[in-house]
Amino acid sequence: MDRRQALCSVGVGLLGLSGCARLPTFQAALTQGGFELKRSDIDEALLAEGGVRVRAVELSEDIALMQHDDGILQALGMTCSHLGCQVRPGGGFLVCPCHGSTFDLRGEVVRGPAQRALNRYIVTEKDGRVTIYASTR
Ligand code: FES
């Protein structure tokens, strides 16, 4: 069993993001400084996969939008803070395929060589719409 397979077998993570498949990708529309998705469009994928990949022309990186067990949404940049590869979900973590950096589902480094957390984006939900704000926090 290689390291990635081992990570995939760890089980369900803090936010319920499971498996090692790629996240389903949704295009977001830029609206008043935020990137907006209809909650009804992403509900099924959030339930089935625990998260979705959000992509927009104006975004500098793809975002993993994940749902906590308590329903709270969290948005993390998918660009590894080491040298910029795309992280992937795996066994309750976000794992970089390039050099093995591993991040928990709050974006914190649990294994290097990365030294910095993933970018965290502000996300709000109102009236059936999920908005991700491009400024990181
Ligand atoms: S680019 Fe991600 S670990 Fe090096």
Side-chain angles (χ1 to χ4, degrees), residues 1-9 20-22 88-91 95 97:
M1 178 184 294
D2 68 18
R3 198 180 62 72
R4 185 162 185 271
Q5 288 172 318
L7 286 169
C8 290
S9 68
C20 292
R22 292 174 188 263
R88 299 176 184 160
V95 181

Side-chain angles (χ1 to χ4, degrees), residues 80 82-85 96 98-101 113:
C80 178
H82 179 226
L83 293 176
C85 293
C96 181
C98 292
H99 311 105
S101 288

Side-chain angles (χ1 to χ4, degrees), residues 61-64 75-80 87 94 118-121:
E61 64 180 332
D62 288 355
I63 291 174
L76 296 175
M78 296 185 74
T79 302
C80 178
V87 298
L94 293 167
L118 298 173
N119 288 329
R120 296 185 185 103
Y121 293 85

Side-chain angles (χ1 to χ4, degrees), residues 68-122:
H68 287 267
D69 291 339
D70 61 7
I72 301 227
L73 293 169
Q74 178 155 29
L76 296 175
M78 296 185 74
T79 302
C80 178
S81 59
H82 179 226
L83 293 176
C85 293
Q86 292 286 293
V87 298
R88 299 176 184 160
F93 297 94
L94 293 167
V95 181
C96 181
C98 292
H99 311 105
S101 288
T102 304
F103 304 85
D104 68 19
L105 297 181
R106 295 188 187 276
E108 296 296 331
V109 176
V110 294
R111 181 178 187 277
Q115 298 290 307
R116 288 185 299 105
L118 298 173
N119 288 329
R120 296 185 185 103
Y121 293 85
I122 295 167

